[in-house]
Structures are given as structure tokens and as C-alpha cells.
Amino acid sequence: MKIAYTRGLHELGDGLFCYLQPDGGWGWSNAGLIAADGTSLLVDTLFDRRLTEDMLAAMRPATERNPIEQAMNTHGNGDHWFGNGLLPDGIPIVATSAALAEMEAVGPELLHALFNQLDLGPEFDAFAARTMRRFDFESVQPRLPTESFDGERTLRVGDREVRLLELGPAHTRGDAIAFVPDAGVVFTGDILFIEGTPIMWEGPVSHWLQACDRILELDASTIVPGHGPVTDASGVRDVANYLRFVRDEARARFDAGMSAAAAADDIDVSDFRDWGDPERIAVNVSTLYREFDPSLPEVPVPELFVRMARWSARH
């Protein structure tokens, strides 16, 4: 099934929907709705109050018949949970234990401070204006998941089975996907960025590649990524190809004694020129360098954003 990559709610068939936000770049994430027998499960909320309000309004024709009575967050990045405060009172919200810990550590107030209050130089200021300042973090009322799991958990949506599979650490520490076996649909969160550059906050890269293999093993006909258009197995393979490419190129430069910043500048990403947010290679190489040599100090998140901003200004 070909799903147009346009903003808004799209029906996948058999009571399933996805909500898409082009162009899929920084903060423009996707979400999903799984309905059956007068009830529904929401997969992820959006980055701020207004975006989530718009999404829930678009879903209302479906949720009036099938009210949202449970939700899950695929991981701990704010563009997949900051809208939780708009969910119906008292419903269970599920995430992995590792994702919950990240949510507890990094809330909207930290992102507001980072992108609106800190002075990290002109390149960063231009980058923040182009990306994160489009979102209203002050409007967010944080609401954490009420339940957590490790490994795998099965939810029921009416008589429908939904399998939550923990595939992190990869993109973040606690990535999970939601698989609907009877429909052949999987919502992957940020294990998949389609037509956009993946960003490896956590790794290891081998685990992310295993996560891609696990998604392929599900043999789903419809794959809804965390960012970008709806895809199929070819999109999973494209992400895996990028990860292997960056791993191999970074390793060669690590062995040659180059710094992570120099290596990120030196790697030729022209084969992925059509993908958005190429500056994420600065984070990916930094994470890989720490994988190659665990004694290297962890780079603070503000510095990682500065590196991406400087990479973007140079390329």
C-alpha cells in the first residue's frame, strides 16, 4: 500500500492509522493509532502541545468510536512523548524501563534552556533557529509513562494483539517497536529514519543493525518509521546500509588517528545526499569512537549539538 507523505492522519486499513509530519527532520516525528472493538492504543505523542492537539483532533473521527484507552512511547526523546499530557486522564502509558529513565532525566525544561537560553556561539544559534526553536517547549506539561517493561510485552486492543519489542539500546537506551501481527504493520519509532539521517545517541551500532534484522524478520508489509514516509523492507535495508557505511568509514579514520570531529568532516556522505539532516554524522562518529575506545570521555549533549551546528555551517 502506497501512503502519501503528507501531513496528517492516514488510514493503513483494518483499524490502523499513522500520523505523519513531513519533512521528518528535527522534531517532526510520526505516531500511530491501533483500533479494535471500541478501543484504541496510541503509539507516541508529538513534540509540543499544539502539534499533539492537532494530531488528536485529526484522530477524533476514529477515536470517537474507539476511544484512546492506552498508549505507548517508543523511546525517551521528547518528540515522541512530550504530548503525553494531553492524553485522557488515568489511561496506562507504557515504555521500556530504559526509556522511562531517560524521560525522567531529560524533560522539556532542559530542551527549552538548551535551545533558547544558552549562548553556544553563532553556528549553534543559527542551527537552533532552523530546527528546535520551531517548537514550544514551555507549553509542555510532562506526563511520564505509568508502566514500564523490559524485553517484550503483549498488549490487547480489544481482541487484537500488539507486541511491544524492546530493540534498544540503539538510537537511544530504550528503543521499542509496536508490532500488530494480524495486520502486518509495525511502528518502529526511531529505529528507522526514512529519507533522513539516523542519529545514534546511544549505540552500539551492532545492536542497531540487529534491530533492523529483527524488524525484517517480522515480515511486516507496512512499516511506519519514527520519521519520514511509510516504507517497507527496502527502507529498513537503507538504514542498515547507512549504519554499516558510517561504522566502516569511522573505524578507518579512528585507526588512522584522526579525531572524531575531523573524521566526521572527512567522511564523504554524498551517497546519502538526498537524506535530510546530514550533520548528524558528527554525533554518529562521536558515538562510534567511544564504542571503539570506551575509555574516551562522553561528550556532553550541548557539545554534540555544537559539533553538528559547526558541521552544517561548513558543508
Side-chain angles (χ1 to χ4, degrees):
M1 177 188 297
K2 180 67 174 178
I3 304 296
Y5 190 37
T6 56
R7 186 177 188 272
L9 191 67
H10 298 263
E11 188 167 1
L12 303 174
D14 199 22
L16 277 76
F17 302 83
C18 62
Y19 190 85
L20 306 178
Q21 292 195 107
D23 61 359
W26 288 103
W28 300 107
S29 55
N30 300 330
L33 185 72
I34 303 165
D37 303 317
T39 185
S40 64
L41 163 71
L42 183 68
V43 180
D44 282 336
T45 56
L46 305 181
F47 216 0
D48 65 18
R49 184 180 183 89
R50 178 183 59 82
L51 294 178
T52 304
E53 286 176 338
D54 289 348
M55 178 181 73
L56 294 176
M59 291 179 172
R60 196 161 293 131
T63 57
E64 284 178 344
R65 301 187 304 272
N66 303 281
I68 298 170
E69 296 181 326
Q70 52 187 327
M72 72 89 65
N73 299 127
T74 56
H75 62 289
N77 284 171
D79 53 340
H80 295 262
W81 75 273
F82 278 2
N84 284 2
L86 293 171
L87 294 175
D89 291 341
I91 70 167
I93 305 172
V94 183
T96 66
S97 299
L100 176 57
E102 289 194 319
M103 295 174 189
E104 290 171 336
V106 182
E109 69 286 347
L110 290 182
L111 290 193
H112 176 72
L114 173 58
F115 293 107
N116 295 282
Q117 296 175 337
L118 296 184
D119 182 3
L120 297 176
E123 298 97 343
F124 176 83
D125 189 63
F127 176 83
R130 177 171 59 86
T131 58
M132 296 298 193
R133 288 182 191 158
R134 299 181 180 187
F135 306 101
D136 182 8
F137 300 125
E138 289 186 301
S139 73
V140 175
Q141 297 177 328
R143 181 174 169 188
L144 295 170
T146 60
E147 302 176 13
S148 61
F149 74 98
D150 299 294
E152 181 171 348
R153 178 167 176 178
T154 298
L155 301 179
R156 306 298 304 188
V157 181
D159 64 357
R160 166 170 272 165
E161 178 184 89
V162 180
R163 295 174 60 199
L164 308 184
L165 308 175
E166 183 176 19
L167 301 186
H171 164 64
T172 64
R173 294 179 187 173
D175 305 295
I177 65 174
F179 176 48
V180 189
D182 70 341
V185 174
V186 59
F187 300 90
T188 72
D190 286 2
I191 293 295
L192 296 184
F193 292 76
I194 302 301
E195 298 180 5
T197 304
I199 185 166
M200 188 161 47
W201 294 114
E202 186 67 22
V205 67
S206 60
H207 209 173
W208 198 335
L209 290 168
Q210 290 169 12
C212 290
D213 289 340
R214 185 74 184 280
I215 292 171
L216 291 173
E217 289 167 3
L218 297 175
D219 198 27
S221 57
T222 302
I223 300 174
V224 181
H227 296 258
V230 174
T231 190
D232 55 20
S234 65
V236 185
R237 296 189 186 99
D238 287 344
V239 170
N241 287 339
Y242 173 87
L243 295 171
R244 282 190 288 264
F245 169 80
V246 174
R247 174 199 64 193
D248 295 346
E249 294 294 313
R251 183 77 216 197
R253 287 159 179 79
F254 174 85
D255 291 342
M258 294 180 69
S259 70
D265 267 343
D266 192 57
I267 294 172
D268 180 3
V269 293
S270 59
D271 285 350
F272 306 93
R273 65 173 64 87
D274 295 333
W275 290 14
D277 307 314
E279 68 274 0
R280 291 172 177 169
I281 194 171
V283 173
N284 295 335
V285 171
S286 177
T287 302
L288 285 163
Y289 266 47
R290 291 194 68 243
E291 184 176 335
F292 301 150
D293 181 1
S295 70
L296 290 174
E298 185 173 358
V299 181
V301 169
E303 172 60 23
L304 290 174
F305 274 104
V306 169
R307 290 186 185 186
M308 287 189 285
R310 290 173 176 168
W311 190 99
S312 184
R314 289 193 296 265
H315 292 82

